[in-house]
Amino acid sequence: MLCFHQLQSMAPLTFLPSLLLSLLLSLSHFPTPSLSDTGSIGINYGRVADNLPQPSKVVQLLKTQGMNRVKLYDTDSTVLTALSGSGIRVTVALPNEQLSSAAAAQSYTDSWVQSNIAAFYPSTQIEAIAVGNEVFADPKNTTVYLVPAMQNVYNSLVKYNLSSIKVSSPIALSALQASYPSSAGSFKSDLIEPVIKPMLSFLQKTGSPLMANVYPFFAYTGNTDVISPDYALFNANQSEAQVDSGNGLRYNSLFEAQIDAVFAAMNALQYNGVKLEVTETGWPSKGDENEAGASGANAAAYNGNLVRRVLTGGGTPLRPNEPLNVFLFALFNENQKPGPTSERNYGLFYPNEEKVYDIPLTVEGLSNSSSESTPVNGSKTQVPTPAAGSGGDVSAATTAGQTWCVANGKAEVEQLQKGLDYACGEGGADCRPIQKDATCYDPNTVEAHASYAFNSYYQMKSRGPGTCNFGGAAYVVTQPPKYGTCEFPTGY
């Protein structure tokens, strides 16, 4: 991770009114939501420290915490051996210092792949290779080598029948020329032709995602006069959401706004089909005096809210049907990292394996936890489930520990109707209150009726993971929805 204090998209999701349609309760089939609709949480295992536990103990820690994805910054043989047979999926890295050699000759990448990938795979479940890290910001000017190195690594994987392993490269958001509003997202003009287009073309052809390191903390701490802490920490309520002036989308978090700025930049170059994986994001538990917002409470709030947001499913306002896949930064506080105090305090754990603060990291952990996360010092910070979009009027009161499922106002009417039909049909939701003349019939819109039906199904299924998605037509909120005088149930 490199430190960048850039103003990054305070962006967007305006609620579009739905068309007024009569409720049709036909029984057309709609697929049952599944865990595949939700995103994944992984963690970065950095080792710039002299006091970390042995890799074998780290693997046990990961398994104890239910973490099944980890990202490394190299291909250390001791670490890869420790991960063998663990069932943990691994992203490894070819460091920036090796890019020029990797770009110069495939014989170099052949040897590298044989020694660092083939020697451990498949016992160690290597799923991706990060070629370089934030290369465009590398002061050693290694940008010119990036795409040739990626291509040679991929060619070597193909040569040794390992082409299922994805190849990408994490970019910093400093690669964007514009990020606010999100709809104006664009890459720096001097990078587009030499490297951005060739890289995106490579990713498109190989089916690999663009990797991006996304840090609302940097944007917030450098711009506290224009970015609210609630917006940076996923705590913004409906009135504090940011509306993108370019496309009318409403954003409840800076994180989603930043991601959509990257999507908009790719869309502008006609690479709409390339997916994105967040390879780093986090919040420091400690910082220098000039690092506003660096605290244990804020770190617990950011990471706790982020995990809940990712694991409850759905994508960003611009791409609502693409679940978020995120790697938290980082597993440990690393005492030898250079730079400001924050750089050494991003860890979820101290080197002695004690938690810096306590947040759930898995779906099971979310279901067993309250809506509060607790730093080690005992203070508590509210961690509500963030919304993935907008949907109807929401009352100001938040009920701790409760969640509801509502329709995504940006979804097509046909999609909402299909989900509504499924919920009220074979889904078994109680849709009697939205029948004509019943208590929740008004307002008579597909969106309002779908919200009621989606929530009935969600509550009936005990608010289980994947039960509030309906193909991207729904999302979870933590404030009780209100359409007219209709009250939504919280359980059955």
Side-chain angles (χ1 to χ4, degrees):
M1 176 186 65
L2 300 179
C3 230
F4 300 99
H5 293 271
Q6 61 242 3
L7 175 58
Q8 288 166 314
S9 33
M10 270 185 23
L13 257 178
T14 286
F15 191 72
L16 297 182
S18 298
L19 299 175
L20 295 178
L21 294 175
S22 297
L23 180 63
L24 301 174
L25 295 176
S26 61
L27 295 178
S28 61
H29 179 70
F30 194 93
T32 301
S34 68
L35 283 174
S36 62
D37 296 323
T38 65
S40 66
I41 290 289
I43 198 159
N44 283 276
Y45 173 20
R47 305 193 322 282
V48 187
D50 61 5
N51 57 355
L52 299 182
Q54 291 298 312
S56 58
K57 292 190 67 178
V58 173
V59 172
Q60 289 305 309
L61 175 64
L62 292 170
K63 293 174 72 173
T64 300
Q65 297 301 314
M67 301 298 291
N68 60 11
R69 299 187 77 195
V70 67
K71 179 172 163 284
L72 311 176
Y73 290 89
D74 53 25
T75 52
D76 182 88
S77 60
T78 305
V79 175
L80 291 177
T81 299
L83 285 161
S84 177
S86 66
I88 298 171
R89 291 177 288 160
V90 186
T91 295
V92 300
L94 186 147
N96 291 3
E97 309 86 72
Q98 299 182 42
L99 289 178
S100 61
S101 298
Q106 191 184 324
S107 59
Y108 182 91
T109 57
D110 283 351
S111 176
W112 186 86
V113 166
Q114 282 183 304
S115 300
N116 298 285
I117 307 299
F120 301 95
Y121 184 89
S123 296
T124 300
Q125 296 182 22
I126 300 171
E127 63 175 342
I129 299 171
V131 178
N133 184 53
E134 299 187 350
V135 173
F136 308 146
D138 188 345
K140 296 182 180 178
N141 196 25
T142 52
T143 296
V144 65
Y145 306 118
L146 178 58
V147 177
M150 292 171 69
Q151 186 65 60
N152 280 345
V153 168
Y154 177 76
N155 291 343
S156 296
L157 290 173
V158 171
K159 182 175 181 178
Y160 297 110
N161 298 314
L162 298 169
S163 59
S164 62
I165 297 173
K166 303 300 184 185
V167 177
S168 188
S169 183
I171 66 168
L173 292 196
S174 58
L176 297 181
Q177 183 166 287
S179 61
Y180 178 77
S182 293
S183 58
S186 61
F187 291 106
K188 288 182 176 176
S189 55
D190 61 325
L191 293 175
I192 291 176
E193 294 300 331
V195 63
I196 295 294
K197 281 187 175 180
M199 181 174 66
L200 292 176
S201 179
F202 168 84
L203 297 175
Q204 188 175 63
K205 290 176 182 177
T206 60
S208 297
L210 176 66
M211 295 175 170
N213 297 340
V214 180
Y215 284 94
F217 171 72
F218 294 153
Y220 170 73
T221 194
N223 302 277
T224 56
D225 56 331
V226 292
I227 300 177
S228 75
D230 284 339
Y231 186 57
L233 297 172
F234 294 91
N235 284 332
N237 59 37
Q238 293 291 322
S239 64
E240 295 168 327
Q242 300 291 321
V243 179
D244 189 314
S245 58
N247 57 22
L249 295 176
R250 182 185 298 273
Y251 286 81
N252 297 300
S253 71
L254 180 56
F255 175 78
E256 292 180 329
Q258 290 178 319
I259 291 175
D260 274 0
V262 180
F263 280 141
M266 289 197 289
N267 292 350
L269 300 178
Q270 305 302 309
Y271 288 96
N272 308 49
V274 176
K275 297 184 183 298
L276 185 143
E277 185 164 82
V278 178
T279 36
E280 286 184 20
T281 190
W283 198 282
S285 59
K286 188 183 297 184
D288 296 321
E289 287 187 9
N290 63 343
E291 294 185 289
S295 71
N298 285 344
Y302 178 81
N303 285 318
N305 278 329
L306 173 65
V307 169
R308 190 176 294 273
R309 169 68 184 84
V310 169
L311 296 182
T312 52
T316 64
L318 195 58
R319 294 193 184 181
N321 297 325
E322 291 186 17
L324 296 165
N325 296 307
V326 172
F327 286 89
L328 300 176
F329 187 89
L331 185 56
F332 295 109
N333 284 342
E334 299 172 67
N335 67 351
Q336 293 186 322
K337 292 201 72 175
T341 297
S342 62
E343 286 292 302
R344 293 175 289 283
N345 290 279
Y346 274 89
L348 272 64
F349 293 86
Y350 294 109
N352 65 1
E353 300 184 45
E354 290 184 4
K355 293 180 178 180
V356 178
Y357 44 85
D358 192 9
I359 60 169
L361 295 170
T362 63
V363 171
E364 292 74 20
L366 288 175
S367 63
N368 294 331
S369 71
S370 70
S371 61
E372 291 180 334
S373 290
T374 310
V376 167
N377 64 14
S379 62
K380 292 184 177 180
T381 180
Q382 189 70 15
V383 184
T385 308
S390 57
D393 298 326
V394 180
S395 69
T398 298
T399 308
Q402 295 184 355
T403 56
W404 293 262
C405 182
V406 296
N408 183 350
K410 299 300 294 181
E412 296 292 336
V413 172
E414 293 78 7
Q415 188 179 15
L416 293 176
Q417 184 67 56
K418 193 173 183 181
L420 172 60
D421 294 343
Y422 172 80
C424 294
E426 66 181 88
D430 180 8
C431 295
R432 289 171 297 178
I434 53 176
Q435 303 300 309
K436 188 172 177 61
D437 297 326
T439 55
C440 291
Y441 179 73
D442 291 320
N444 180 22
T445 69
V446 170
E447 182 184 333
H449 289 170
S451 284
Y452 190 92
F454 291 171
N455 183 67
S456 175
Y457 179 89
Y458 175 66
Q459 303 296 340
M460 182 184 68
K461 296 294 184 181
S462 302
R463 300 188 289 274
T467 60
C468 180
N469 186 277
F470 296 90
Y475 60 89
V476 174
V477 296
T478 57
Q479 295 174 315
K482 185 177 180 182
Y483 287 86
T485 60
C486 178
E487 293 186 4
F488 282 42
T490 57
Y492 290 98

